[in-house]
């Protein structure tokens, strides 16, 4: 719903986040984008797309809730919204492409 020009990367590729970058999740129930936390280090990217709302380039990152990337204490409010949208184990999150993120 939020993605245009989606390009699946098969197999997923490992990108490197060299400076802290926010990890986002799109709440399909409200149409809002929420920040889950910030990332640094290697991340698996399974697709590239542009945000329908802004045209910004983004990278889709699978995220196991309260498990991956050292993000193990995300906001209870965000977790509740994920659960209400039907996500209890993992979500498809994303980062915005920037010079903080290096392609393989």
């Amino acid at each position: 719903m939020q993605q245009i020009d989606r390009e699946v990367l098969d197999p997923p590729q490992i990108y490197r986040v060299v400076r802290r970058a926010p990890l986002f999740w799109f709440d399909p129930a409200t149409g809002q984008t929420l920040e889950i936390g910030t990332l640094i280090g290697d991340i698996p990217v399974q697709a590239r797309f542009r945000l329908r709302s802004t045209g910004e380039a983004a990278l889709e990152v699978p995220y196991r809730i309260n498990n991956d990337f050292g993000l193990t204490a995300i906001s209870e409010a965000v977790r509740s919204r994920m659960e209400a949208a039907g996500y209890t184990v993992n979500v498809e999150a994303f980062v915005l492409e920037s010079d903080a993120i290096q392609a393989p």
Side-chain angles (χ1 to χ4, degrees), residues 39-53:
L39 302 175
I40 196 159
D42 293 342
I43 59 170
V45 172
Q46 58 191 24
R48 298 180 71 204
F49 62 94
R50 288 185 309 115
L51 293 174
R52 184 174 304 282
S53 60

Side-chain angles (χ1 to χ4, degrees), residues 88-103:
T88 56
V89 178
N90 5 295
V91 296
E92 304 306 327
F94 67 92
V95 294
L96 297 176
E97 286 194 49
S98 73
D99 60 356
I101 301 172
Q102 298 175 344

